[in-house]
Amino acid sequence: MIRNPWRHNEPLDRAELARLLPAAADPRLATDRQDLLEEYLMNEIHQSDHAPAAPPARRPLRRAALFATPVAATAALAVVVSVGGSPGASTVAAPELVKAPVVQIEEGSTAQLASTVREIAAAATARTTPQPGPGQYIYIKSRVSFMSTRHNVDTGESTTWVQPLHDREVWKSPDGTKGWLDEPGYQDKGGITLDNKEPRKQNTYNWLAAQPTDPDALLKSVYATVSGDRDHDQQAFREIGSVIREQLVPSALTASLYEAAGKIPGVVVVEHAQDASGRDGIALARLDPWTGERSEWIFDRVTHQYLGSRGVQVREFGGVKPGTVVERTSIVTRAIVDAKDQRPGAGQATV
């Protein structure tokens, strides 16, 4: 049975009642998924007027939402369990979950933070980023795995499971009005449309390309979006991470984002971290003081190119043991293509 992590100490009568109720999804979302629900809800609102009688199931997307107003955590928890399939939808069964990997926790340090950020930013500046033209799409392929926790109210034992590593491909038009997502086993067979007549401008390549590249100005804009009682520094770190994870960002702005992140209190360097593809690198990381999860952005230790991300539980929370890897991602390919169902061909430039 799945239980809310903050209900461990409830009286016996409530625990007895819980046994009689249907199992609910664990409300603790993966690090980025609390940040994705606002875009998901907005997409649903925009498309509801034209939706067929039996629309296919939709899955929340990992959004690049820098500077967007975040959804309150309580609202996010309320809607995540309501997303479901519809009769007749062309869906496929999700693969069985597997036990989460466990790693030795390496302590982070600020000793090399300034120099590491400089090297990462310099590498980003030197890297050539292609510019999408009219009618073209930004294509990003990644490998991902996210967490689900189950808690047995009878034994008090918790088990942390994760999705098997799987491919995720997304196509985005520069203005954000057109797109496609293909993530086999986790949404409709063949993929789902991301078309939206009124996209959030902050999610689009066009909007990002027009932003100033001063790190202090960027950081000020980031902090202007955070709210609520949750740690504002962690929210700011997560907002920047959501951009670099699944978007094509002009090289000068990418460098400034890394420099801005290095100014956030609590950010450290972790000397060894592996992305979802098993590539070892160096990470910029920050510990969420509420969940005890450390978010890590992993870079190649030689080229300093962004490889992917990892979430590691540093302090036990909700039955998740220290050292548990609760999420993993890795970038496989970033490219510009001419159609939203097209993949980059041999010899085509990739990022």
Side-chain angles (χ1 to χ4, degrees):
M1 178 175 181
I2 303 172
R3 294 200 46 212
N4 298 344
W6 55 80
R7 295 176 63 185
H8 295 313
N9 298 322
E10 63 187 0
L12 180 60
D13 58 332
R14 294 185 66 185
E16 291 294 335
L17 177 60
R19 293 190 183 94
L20 303 177
L21 298 176
D26 189 328
R28 181 189 173 189
L29 307 179
T31 303
D32 63 344
R33 296 202 175 194
Q34 292 186 5
D35 300 335
L36 308 176
L37 291 171
E38 182 173 338
E39 178 181 323
Y40 169 78
L41 291 174
M42 293 305 297
N43 286 342
E44 292 296 301
I45 291 170
H46 292 319
Q47 296 176 20
S48 61
D49 292 339
H50 308 287
R58 297 295 302 274
R59 183 168 178 264
L61 310 178
R62 295 170 187 82
R63 65 183 176 94
L66 185 66
F67 321 138
T69 304
V71 179
T74 52
L77 300 182
V79 298
V80 70
V81 296
S82 67
V83 179
S86 302
S90 178
T91 57
V92 293
E96 289 292 327
L97 299 176
V98 297
K99 285 192 175 182
V102 178
V103 298
Q104 184 174 354
I105 299 172
E106 179 179 327
E107 186 175 353
S109 171
T110 59
Q112 302 298 322
L113 177 61
S115 60
T116 300
V117 170
R118 283 197 301 269
E119 292 171 345
I120 291 172
T125 300
R127 194 170 296 116
T128 301
T129 303
Q131 296 182 358
Q136 291 188 310
Y137 289 82
I138 297 162
Y139 168 83
I140 301 174
K141 180 177 181 180
S142 55
R143 296 275 289 168
V144 300
S145 171
F146 293 94
M147 181 194 76
S148 175
T149 300
R150 293 171 179 155
H151 183 79
N152 188 312
V153 296
D154 295 311
T155 65
E157 296 179 351
S158 294
T159 305
T160 302
W161 303 82
V162 294
Q163 302 164 345
L165 281 171
H166 61 278
D167 290 339
R168 170 182 167 89
E169 296 174 284
V170 64
W171 290 257
K172 301 178 180 180
S173 64
D175 64 2
T177 60
K178 297 182 182 299
W180 192 258
L181 169 68
D182 190 7
E183 193 170 2
Y186 295 91
Q187 36 75 43
D188 296 342
K189 188 175 182 180
I192 60 174
T193 182
L194 302 182
D195 289 1
N196 191 337
K197 293 181 179 179
E198 299 179 21
R200 287 186 169 277
K201 64 180 181 180
Q202 296 94 338
N203 300 347
T204 68
Y205 173 87
N206 287 351
W207 188 87
L208 288 169
Q211 297 312 298
T213 56
D214 176 68
D216 292 321
L218 284 174
L219 193 58
K220 183 177 180 180
S221 297
V222 173
Y223 274 100
T225 69
V226 304
S227 62
D229 297 330
R230 294 288 298 276
D231 183 77
H232 286 191
D233 295 329
Q234 183 65 18
Q235 290 185 55
F237 187 76
R238 190 173 59 218
E239 287 290 339
I240 296 175
S242 68
V243 171
I244 65 175
R245 176 178 295 180
E246 197 168 72
Q247 181 56 279
L248 180 65
V249 184
S251 57
L253 182 60
T254 302
S256 296
L257 287 173
Y258 294 145
E259 290 175 332
K263 297 174 180 288
I264 297 174
V267 173
V268 298
V269 172
V270 177
E271 289 292 337
H272 298 90
Q274 283 192 347
D275 70 358
S277 296
R279 297 175 295 192
D280 180 73
I282 191 170
L284 296 181
R286 192 178 192 281
L287 177 67
D288 187 325
W290 186 66
T291 66
E293 177 185 333
R294 188 171 68 191
S295 300
E296 302 173 350
W297 309 342
I298 306 170
F299 301 84
D300 185 280
R301 63 179 65 256
V302 177
T303 67
H304 297 100
Q305 183 169 359
Y306 177 78
L307 300 177
S309 64
R310 185 174 73 168
V312 178
Q313 199 68 31
V314 173
R315 186 186 70 248
E316 182 170 352
F317 179 85
V320 183
K321 306 298 183 183
T324 303
V325 179
V326 297
E327 69 164 78
R328 291 177 289 168
T329 73
S330 65
I331 297 296
V332 178
T333 305
R334 296 186 203 248
I336 304 297
V337 296
D338 295 325
K340 64 182 178 182
D341 58 351
Q342 182 183 79
R343 293 171 174 85
Q348 187 169 354
T350 58
V351 182

